[in-house]
Amino acid sequence: NHIERLADDHRKAQEIGEVLNGLDYIKKVEPIETNIIIFEIDEAKLSADEFVKRLEENDVHIIGMGQGKLRIVTHLDYTQDMHSSFLEILRKL
């Protein structure tokens, strides 16, 4: 079901990874092969908890994986409008 639109989720994940890679407080973005983005915060610059808090202030909710690692997953209900807004939020944090 909805297999034809998986490529869209994968593209959005790649775009999120590109933005994350350009942020100085991101230590590492794992290689993105699907719709899952796993990345690590440079906690000397910003704690993972503070990053999550700043996203929550912008009505974006993610859960940390521990040790400064976080995960974002794109999916069917994640629209292009949400994606554009999220990329802009990331750039402004």
PDB file of all heavy atoms in Angstrom, residues 31-63:
ATOM      1  N   PRO A  31      24.589   7.533   7.240  1.00  0.00           N
ATOM      2  CA  PRO A  31      24.153   7.426   5.841  1.00  0.00           C
ATOM      3  C   PRO A  31      22.648   7.145   5.764  1.00  0.00           C
ATOM      4  O   PRO A  31      22.125   6.313   6.506  1.00  0.00           O
ATOM      5  CB  PRO A  31      24.966   6.243   5.303  1.00  0.00           C
ATOM      6  CG  PRO A  31      26.174   6.183   6.196  1.00  0.00           C
ATOM      7  CD  PRO A  31      25.690   6.631   7.552  1.00  0.00           C
ATOM      8  N   ILE A  32      21.958   7.871   4.901  1.00  0.00           N
ATOM      9  CA  ILE A  32      20.503   7.762   4.778  1.00  0.00           C
ATOM     10  C   ILE A  32      20.181   6.907   3.568  1.00  0.00           C
ATOM     11  O   ILE A  32      20.493   7.288   2.433  1.00  0.00           O
ATOM     12  CB  ILE A  32      19.856   9.151   4.652  1.00  0.00           C
ATOM     13  CG1 ILE A  32      20.187   9.976   5.902  1.00  0.00           C
ATOM     14  CG2 ILE A  32      18.349   9.031   4.454  1.00  0.00           C
ATOM     15  CD1 ILE A  32      19.860  11.440   5.771  1.00  0.00           C
ATOM     16  N   GLU A  33      19.575   5.761   3.803  1.00  0.00           N
ATOM     17  CA  GLU A  33      19.252   4.837   2.723  1.00  0.00           C
ATOM     18  C   GLU A  33      17.748   4.693   2.516  1.00  0.00           C
ATOM     19  O   GLU A  33      17.315   4.185   1.493  1.00  0.00           O
ATOM     20  CB  GLU A  33      19.874   3.474   3.014  1.00  0.00           C
ATOM     21  CG  GLU A  33      21.390   3.539   3.081  1.00  0.00           C
ATOM     22  CD  GLU A  33      22.016   2.212   3.453  1.00  0.00           C
ATOM     23  OE1 GLU A  33      21.305   1.196   3.535  1.00  0.00           O
ATOM     24  OE2 GLU A  33      23.240   2.205   3.675  1.00  0.00           O
ATOM     25  N   THR A  34      16.967   5.116   3.503  1.00  0.00           N
ATOM     26  CA  THR A  34      15.513   4.979   3.412  1.00  0.00           C
ATOM     27  C   THR A  34      14.872   6.276   3.889  1.00  0.00           C
ATOM     28  O   THR A  34      15.359   7.349   3.583  1.00  0.00           O
ATOM     29  CB  THR A  34      15.010   3.789   4.266  1.00  0.00           C
ATOM     30  OG1 THR A  34      15.342   4.025   5.629  1.00  0.00           O
ATOM     31  CG2 THR A  34      15.605   2.469   3.793  1.00  0.00           C
ATOM     32  N   ASN A  35      13.815   6.169   4.652  1.00  0.00           N
ATOM     33  CA  ASN A  35      13.114   7.334   5.181  1.00  0.00           C
ATOM     34  C   ASN A  35      13.483   7.601   6.640  1.00  0.00           C
ATOM     35  O   ASN A  35      12.807   8.347   7.331  1.00  0.00           O
ATOM     36  CB  ASN A  35      11.592   7.153   5.058  1.00  0.00           C
ATOM     37  CG  ASN A  35      11.080   5.985   5.872  1.00  0.00           C
ATOM     38  OD1 ASN A  35      11.743   4.964   6.031  1.00  0.00           O
ATOM     39  ND2 ASN A  35       9.877   6.120   6.390  1.00  0.00           N
ATOM     40  N   ILE A  36      14.567   7.012   7.105  1.00  0.00           N
ATOM     41  CA  ILE A  36      15.007   7.153   8.492  1.00  0.00           C
ATOM     42  C   ILE A  36      16.302   7.950   8.539  1.00  0.00           C
ATOM     43  O   ILE A  36      17.260   7.620   7.848  1.00  0.00           O
ATOM     44  CB  ILE A  36      15.201   5.781   9.156  1.00  0.00           C
ATOM     45  CG1 ILE A  36      13.886   4.994   9.128  1.00  0.00           C
ATOM     46  CG2 ILE A  36      15.743   5.928  10.578  1.00  0.00           C
ATOM     47  CD1 ILE A  36      14.029   3.543   9.536  1.00  0.00           C
ATOM     48  N   ILE A  37      16.305   8.988   9.377  1.00  0.00           N
ATOM     49  CA  ILE A  37      17.486   9.815   9.567  1.00  0.00           C
ATOM     50  C   ILE A  37      17.935   9.642  11.013  1.00  0.00           C
ATOM     51  O   ILE A  37      17.180   9.928  11.942  1.00  0.00           O
ATOM     52  CB  ILE A  37      17.184  11.319   9.319  1.00  0.00           C
ATOM     53  CG1 ILE A  37      16.520  11.536   7.965  1.00  0.00           C
ATOM     54  CG2 ILE A  37      18.457  12.148   9.443  1.00  0.00           C
ATOM     55  CD1 ILE A  37      15.068  11.833   8.042  1.00  0.00           C
ATOM     56  N   ILE A  38      19.153   9.168  11.198  1.00  0.00           N
ATOM     57  CA  ILE A  38      19.743   9.054  12.531  1.00  0.00           C
ATOM     58  C   ILE A  38      20.944   9.977  12.551  1.00  0.00           C
ATOM     59  O   ILE A  38      21.795   9.927  11.657  1.00  0.00           O
ATOM     60  CB  ILE A  38      20.149   7.600  12.846  1.00  0.00           C
ATOM     61  CG1 ILE A  38      18.902   6.708  12.865  1.00  0.00           C
ATOM     62  CG2 ILE A  38      20.901   7.522  14.183  1.00  0.00           C
ATOM     63  CD1 ILE A  38      19.180   5.224  13.034  1.00  0.00           C
ATOM     64  N   PHE A  39      20.983  10.823  13.579  1.00  0.00           N
ATOM     65  CA  PHE A  39      22.066  11.803  13.634  1.00  0.00           C
ATOM     66  C   PHE A  39      22.489  12.025  15.074  1.00  0.00           C
ATOM     67  O   PHE A  39      21.796  11.642  16.015  1.00  0.00           O
ATOM     68  CB  PHE A  39      21.649  13.109  12.968  1.00  0.00           C
ATOM     69  CG  PHE A  39      20.448  13.782  13.580  1.00  0.00           C
ATOM     70  CD1 PHE A  39      20.603  14.876  14.410  1.00  0.00           C
ATOM     71  CD2 PHE A  39      19.163  13.327  13.320  1.00  0.00           C
ATOM     72  CE1 PHE A  39      19.509  15.505  14.969  1.00  0.00           C
ATOM     73  CE2 PHE A  39      18.053  13.948  13.868  1.00  0.00           C
ATOM     74  CZ  PHE A  39      18.228  15.044  14.703  1.00  0.00           C
ATOM     75  N   GLU A  40      23.665  12.630  15.216  1.00  0.00           N
ATOM     76  CA  GLU A  40      24.235  12.846  16.528  1.00  0.00           C
ATOM     77  C   GLU A  40      24.515  14.324  16.735  1.00  0.00           C
ATOM     78  O   GLU A  40      25.084  14.994  15.864  1.00  0.00           O
ATOM     79  CB  GLU A  40      25.523  12.038  16.663  1.00  0.00           C
ATOM     80  CG  GLU A  40      26.111  12.027  18.033  1.00  0.00           C
ATOM     81  CD  GLU A  40      27.298  11.085  18.140  1.00  0.00           C
ATOM     82  OE1 GLU A  40      27.540  10.295  17.214  1.00  0.00           O
ATOM     83  OE2 GLU A  40      27.995  11.163  19.173  1.00  0.00           O
ATOM     84  N   ILE A  41      24.121  14.826  17.884  1.00  0.00           N
ATOM     85  CA  ILE A  41      24.350  16.213  18.270  1.00  0.00           C
ATOM     86  C   ILE A  41      25.759  16.340  18.856  1.00  0.00           C
ATOM     87  O   ILE A  41      26.217  15.463  19.591  1.00  0.00           O
ATOM     88  CB  ILE A  41      23.325  16.643  19.349  1.00  0.00           C
ATOM     89  CG1 ILE A  41      21.900  16.542  18.827  1.00  0.00           C
ATOM     90  CG2 ILE A  41      23.639  18.038  19.881  1.00  0.00           C
ATOM     91  CD1 ILE A  41      21.476  17.617  17.885  1.00  0.00           C
ATOM     92  N   ASP A  42      26.453  17.428  18.531  1.00  0.00           N
ATOM     93  CA  ASP A  42      27.717  17.745  19.179  1.00  0.00           C
ATOM     94  C   ASP A  42      27.363  18.408  20.506  1.00  0.00           C
ATOM     95  O   ASP A  42      27.079  19.601  20.571  1.00  0.00           O
ATOM     96  CB  ASP A  42      28.543  18.687  18.308  1.00  0.00           C
ATOM     97  CG  ASP A  42      29.896  19.009  18.910  1.00  0.00           C
ATOM     98  OD1 ASP A  42      30.116  18.728  20.110  1.00  0.00           O
ATOM     99  OD2 ASP A  42      30.744  19.565  18.182  1.00  0.00           O
ATOM    100  N   GLU A  43      27.351  17.628  21.563  1.00  0.00           N
ATOM    101  CA  GLU A  43      26.869  18.106  22.854  1.00  0.00           C
ATOM    102  C   GLU A  43      27.780  19.139  23.495  1.00  0.00           C
ATOM    103  O   GLU A  43      27.402  19.777  24.479  1.00  0.00           O
ATOM    104  CB  GLU A  43      26.568  16.931  23.779  1.00  0.00           C
ATOM    105  CG  GLU A  43      25.417  16.087  23.217  1.00  0.00           C
ATOM    106  CD  GLU A  43      24.564  15.428  24.266  1.00  0.00           C
ATOM    107  OE1 GLU A  43      25.084  15.051  25.324  1.00  0.00           O
ATOM    108  OE2 GLU A  43      23.349  15.323  24.021  1.00  0.00           O
ATOM    109  N   ALA A  44      28.966  19.368  22.940  1.00  0.00           N
ATOM    110  CA  ALA A  44      29.806  20.467  23.413  1.00  0.00           C
ATOM    111  C   ALA A  44      29.212  21.799  22.955  1.00  0.00           C
ATOM    112  O   ALA A  44      29.476  22.841  23.545  1.00  0.00           O
ATOM    113  CB  ALA A  44      31.226  20.306  22.880  1.00  0.00           C
ATOM    114  N   LYS A  45      28.381  21.753  21.902  1.00  0.00           N
ATOM    115  CA  LYS A  45      27.774  22.964  21.350  1.00  0.00           C
ATOM    116  C   LYS A  45      26.307  23.099  21.734  1.00  0.00           C
ATOM    117  O   LYS A  45      25.807  24.206  21.921  1.00  0.00           O
ATOM    118  CB  LYS A  45      27.912  22.972  19.830  1.00  0.00           C
ATOM    119  CG  LYS A  45      29.358  23.032  19.383  1.00  0.00           C
ATOM    120  CD  LYS A  45      29.479  23.042  17.892  1.00  0.00           C
ATOM    121  CE  LYS A  45      30.951  23.106  17.503  1.00  0.00           C
ATOM    122  NZ  LYS A  45      31.139  23.145  16.078  1.00  0.00           N
ATOM    123  N   LEU A  46      25.593  21.982  21.826  1.00  0.00           N
ATOM    124  CA  LEU A  46      24.161  21.996  22.125  1.00  0.00           C
ATOM    125  C   LEU A  46      23.781  20.596  22.612  1.00  0.00           C
ATOM    126  O   LEU A  46      24.133  19.605  21.960  1.00  0.00           O
ATOM    127  CB  LEU A  46      23.361  22.332  20.854  1.00  0.00           C
ATOM    128  CG  LEU A  46      21.845  22.358  20.957  1.00  0.00           C
ATOM    129  CD1 LEU A  46      21.385  23.570  21.770  1.00  0.00           C
ATOM    130  CD2 LEU A  46      21.220  22.415  19.565  1.00  0.00           C
ATOM    131  N   SER A  47      23.068  20.520  23.709  1.00  0.00           N
ATOM    132  CA  SER A  47      22.675  19.197  24.192  1.00  0.00           C
ATOM    133  C   SER A  47      21.514  18.662  23.350  1.00  0.00           C
ATOM    134  O   SER A  47      20.739  19.437  22.778  1.00  0.00           O
ATOM    135  CB  SER A  47      22.261  19.254  25.663  1.00  0.00           C
ATOM    136  OG  SER A  47      21.001  19.865  25.806  1.00  0.00           O
ATOM    137  N   ALA A  48      21.412  17.364  23.308  1.00  0.00           N
ATOM    138  CA  ALA A  48      20.298  16.737  22.590  1.00  0.00           C
ATOM    139  C   ALA A  48      18.977  17.153  23.218  1.00  0.00           C
ATOM    140  O   ALA A  48      17.998  17.409  22.508  1.00  0.00           O
ATOM    141  CB  ALA A  48      20.454  15.218  22.584  1.00  0.00           C
ATOM    142  N   ASP A  49      18.949  17.252  24.551  1.00  0.00           N
ATOM    143  CA  ASP A  49      17.717  17.670  25.229  1.00  0.00           C
ATOM    144  C   ASP A  49      17.321  19.086  24.827  1.00  0.00           C
ATOM    145  O   ASP A  49      16.136  19.371  24.613  1.00  0.00           O
ATOM    146  CB  ASP A  49      17.888  17.591  26.744  1.00  0.00           C
ATOM    147  CG  ASP A  49      17.931  16.155  27.265  1.00  0.00           C
ATOM    148  OD1 ASP A  49      17.473  15.236  26.545  1.00  0.00           O
ATOM    149  OD2 ASP A  49      18.417  15.956  28.393  1.00  0.00           O
ATOM    150  N   GLU A  50      18.289  19.981  24.720  1.00  0.00           N
ATOM    151  CA  GLU A  50      17.993  21.356  24.318  1.00  0.00           C
ATOM    152  C   GLU A  50      17.514  21.395  22.862  1.00  0.00           C
ATOM    153  O   GLU A  50      16.603  22.148  22.523  1.00  0.00           O
ATOM    154  CB  GLU A  50      19.226  22.250  24.494  1.00  0.00           C
ATOM    155  CG  GLU A  50      18.996  23.688  24.127  1.00  0.00           C
ATOM    156  CD  GLU A  50      17.949  24.416  24.980  1.00  0.00           C
ATOM    157  OE1 GLU A  50      17.692  23.999  26.127  1.00  0.00           O
ATOM    158  OE2 GLU A  50      17.388  25.412  24.482  1.00  0.00           O
ATOM    159  N   PHE A  51      18.120  20.592  22.005  1.00  0.00           N
ATOM    160  CA  PHE A  51      17.693  20.513  20.608  1.00  0.00           C
ATOM    161  C   PHE A  51      16.240  20.064  20.528  1.00  0.00           C
ATOM    162  O   PHE A  51      15.423  20.684  19.838  1.00  0.00           O
ATOM    163  CB  PHE A  51      18.602  19.549  19.841  1.00  0.00           C
ATOM    164  CG  PHE A  51      18.240  19.372  18.398  1.00  0.00           C
ATOM    165  CD1 PHE A  51      18.560  20.334  17.450  1.00  0.00           C
ATOM    166  CD2 PHE A  51      17.574  18.225  17.971  1.00  0.00           C
ATOM    167  CE1 PHE A  51      18.228  20.161  16.105  1.00  0.00           C
ATOM    168  CE2 PHE A  51      17.239  18.044  16.642  1.00  0.00           C
ATOM    169  CZ  PHE A  51      17.573  19.021  15.711  1.00  0.00           C
ATOM    170  N   VAL A  52      15.906  19.011  21.261  1.00  0.00           N
ATOM    171  CA  VAL A  52      14.529  18.506  21.289  1.00  0.00           C
ATOM    172  C   VAL A  52      13.586  19.575  21.833  1.00  0.00           C
ATOM    173  O   VAL A  52      12.493  19.786  21.296  1.00  0.00           O
ATOM    174  CB  VAL A  52      14.434  17.192  22.103  1.00  0.00           C
ATOM    175  CG1 VAL A  52      12.993  16.799  22.357  1.00  0.00           C
ATOM    176  CG2 VAL A  52      15.188  16.070  21.387  1.00  0.00           C
ATOM    177  N   LYS A  53      14.005  20.271  22.873  1.00  0.00           N
ATOM    178  CA  LYS A  53      13.183  21.331  23.462  1.00  0.00           C
ATOM    179  C   LYS A  53      12.928  22.448  22.451  1.00  0.00           C
ATOM    180  O   LYS A  53      11.799  22.928  22.317  1.00  0.00           O
ATOM    181  CB  LYS A  53      13.871  21.893  24.701  1.00  0.00           C
ATOM    182  CG  LYS A  53      13.098  22.992  25.387  1.00  0.00           C
ATOM    183  CD  LYS A  53      13.861  23.527  26.578  1.00  0.00           C
ATOM    184  CE  LYS A  53      13.179  24.779  27.089  1.00  0.00           C
ATOM    185  NZ  LYS A  53      14.066  25.615  27.853  1.00  0.00           N
ATOM    186  N   ARG A  54      13.958  22.864  21.729  1.00  0.00           N
ATOM    187  CA  ARG A  54      13.791  23.923  20.731  1.00  0.00           C
ATOM    188  C   ARG A  54      12.848  23.489  19.608  1.00  0.00           C
ATOM    189  O   ARG A  54      12.062  24.292  19.111  1.00  0.00           O
ATOM    190  CB  ARG A  54      15.142  24.334  20.163  1.00  0.00           C
ATOM    191  CG  ARG A  54      16.000  25.087  21.139  1.00  0.00           C
ATOM    192  CD  ARG A  54      17.292  25.518  20.510  1.00  0.00           C
ATOM    193  NE  ARG A  54      18.181  26.126  21.483  1.00  0.00           N
ATOM    194  CZ  ARG A  54      19.375  26.602  21.172  1.00  0.00           C
ATOM    195  NH1 ARG A  54      19.816  26.556  19.927  1.00  0.00           N
ATOM    196  NH2 ARG A  54      20.131  27.137  22.112  1.00  0.00           N
ATOM    197  N   LEU A  55      12.931  22.226  19.224  1.00  0.00           N
ATOM    198  CA  LEU A  55      11.988  21.730  18.218  1.00  0.00           C
ATOM    199  C   LEU A  55      10.567  21.755  18.768  1.00  0.00           C
ATOM    200  O   LEU A  55       9.640  22.169  18.071  1.00  0.00           O
ATOM    201  CB  LEU A  55      12.366  20.317  17.774  1.00  0.00           C
ATOM    202  CG  LEU A  55      13.593  20.173  16.895  1.00  0.00           C
ATOM    203  CD1 LEU A  55      13.844  18.707  16.577  1.00  0.00           C
ATOM    204  CD2 LEU A  55      13.457  20.979  15.609  1.00  0.00           C
ATOM    205  N   GLU A  56      10.392  21.317  20.005  1.00  0.00           N
ATOM    206  CA  GLU A  56       9.059  21.308  20.627  1.00  0.00           C
ATOM    207  C   GLU A  56       8.460  22.712  20.670  1.00  0.00           C
ATOM    208  O   GLU A  56       7.256  22.878  20.491  1.00  0.00           O
ATOM    209  CB  GLU A  56       9.123  20.721  22.036  1.00  0.00           C
ATOM    210  CG  GLU A  56       9.298  19.224  22.045  1.00  0.00           C
ATOM    211  CD  GLU A  56       9.484  18.638  23.433  1.00  0.00           C
ATOM    212  OE1 GLU A  56       9.541  19.409  24.435  1.00  0.00           O
ATOM    213  OE2 GLU A  56       9.603  17.416  23.521  1.00  0.00           O
ATOM    214  N   GLU A  57       9.300  23.724  20.902  1.00  0.00           N
ATOM    215  CA  GLU A  57       8.835  25.113  20.904  1.00  0.00           C
ATOM    216  C   GLU A  57       8.286  25.523  19.536  1.00  0.00           C
ATOM    217  O   GLU A  57       7.542  26.493  19.431  1.00  0.00           O
ATOM    218  CB  GLU A  57       9.969  26.047  21.322  1.00  0.00           C
ATOM    219  CG  GLU A  57      10.341  25.912  22.784  1.00  0.00           C
ATOM    220  CD  GLU A  57      11.624  26.622  23.161  1.00  0.00           C
ATOM    221  OE1 GLU A  57      12.314  27.179  22.270  1.00  0.00           O
ATOM    222  OE2 GLU A  57      11.962  26.615  24.367  1.00  0.00           O
ATOM    223  N   ASN A  58       8.690  24.772  18.500  1.00  0.00           N
ATOM    224  CA  ASN A  58       8.214  25.010  17.137  1.00  0.00           C
ATOM    225  C   ASN A  58       7.199  23.958  16.706  1.00  0.00           C
ATOM    226  O   ASN A  58       6.965  23.756  15.517  1.00  0.00           O
ATOM    227  CB  ASN A  58       9.403  25.033  16.167  1.00  0.00           C
ATOM    228  CG  ASN A  58      10.215  26.289  16.301  1.00  0.00           C
ATOM    229  OD1 ASN A  58       9.873  27.312  15.733  1.00  0.00           O
ATOM    230  ND2 ASN A  58      11.292  26.230  17.084  1.00  0.00           N
ATOM    231  N   ASP A  59       6.627  23.260  17.692  1.00  0.00           N
ATOM    232  CA  ASP A  59       5.603  22.230  17.465  1.00  0.00           C
ATOM    233  C   ASP A  59       6.108  21.051  16.628  1.00  0.00           C
ATOM    234  O   ASP A  59       5.372  20.467  15.840  1.00  0.00           O
ATOM    235  CB  ASP A  59       4.342  22.839  16.844  1.00  0.00           C
ATOM    236  CG  ASP A  59       3.114  21.983  17.100  1.00  0.00           C
ATOM    237  OD1 ASP A  59       3.109  21.227  18.098  1.00  0.00           O
ATOM    238  OD2 ASP A  59       2.168  22.039  16.290  1.00  0.00           O
ATOM    239  N   VAL A  60       7.396  20.730  16.814  1.00  0.00           N
ATOM    240  CA  VAL A  60       8.001  19.555  16.181  1.00  0.00           C
ATOM    241  C   VAL A  60       8.426  18.639  17.320  1.00  0.00           C
ATOM    242  O   VAL A  60       9.129  19.063  18.239  1.00  0.00           O
ATOM    243  CB  VAL A  60       9.224  19.929  15.313  1.00  0.00           C
ATOM    244  CG1 VAL A  60       9.908  18.684  14.773  1.00  0.00           C
ATOM    245  CG2 VAL A  60       8.812  20.870  14.183  1.00  0.00           C
ATOM    246  N   HIS A  61       8.012  17.376  17.254  1.00  0.00           N
ATOM    247  CA  HIS A  61       8.280  16.452  18.352  1.00  0.00           C
ATOM    248  C   HIS A  61       9.068  15.239  17.864  1.00  0.00           C
ATOM    249  O   HIS A  61       8.615  14.517  16.980  1.00  0.00           O
ATOM    250  CB  HIS A  61       6.959  16.008  18.978  1.00  0.00           C
ATOM    251  CG  HIS A  61       6.142  17.175  19.439  1.00  0.00           C
ATOM    252  ND1 HIS A  61       6.323  17.757  20.668  1.00  0.00           N
ATOM    253  CD2 HIS A  61       5.179  17.896  18.819  1.00  0.00           C
ATOM    254  CE1 HIS A  61       5.502  18.768  20.793  1.00  0.00           C
ATOM    255  NE2 HIS A  61       4.787  18.880  19.681  1.00  0.00           N
ATOM    256  N   ILE A  62      10.263  15.084  18.439  1.00  0.00           N
ATOM    257  CA  ILE A  62      11.070  13.894  18.164  1.00  0.00           C
ATOM    258  C   ILE A  62      11.552  13.343  19.503  1.00  0.00           C
ATOM    259  O   ILE A  62      11.508  14.034  20.518  1.00  0.00           O
ATOM    260  CB  ILE A  62      12.255  14.164  17.204  1.00  0.00           C
ATOM    261  CG1 ILE A  62      13.295  15.091  17.838  1.00  0.00           C
ATOM    262  CG2 ILE A  62      11.764  14.738  15.885  1.00  0.00           C
ATOM    263  CD1 ILE A  62      14.553  15.233  17.012  1.00  0.00           C
ATOM    264  N   ILE A  63      12.034  12.129  19.482  1.00  0.00           N
ATOM    265  CA  ILE A  63      12.498  11.465  20.694  1.00  0.00           C
ATOM    266  C   ILE A  63      13.964  11.099  20.518  1.00  0.00           C
ATOM    267  O   ILE A  63      14.367  10.558  19.481  1.00  0.00           O
ATOM    268  CB  ILE A  63      11.670  10.190  20.975  1.00  0.00           C
ATOM    269  CG1 ILE A  63      10.204  10.560  21.207  1.00  0.00           C
ATOM    270  CG2 ILE A  63      12.228   9.438  22.176  1.00  0.00           C
ATOM    271  CD1 ILE A  63       9.281   9.373  21.299  1.00  0.00           C
TER     272      ILE A  63
END
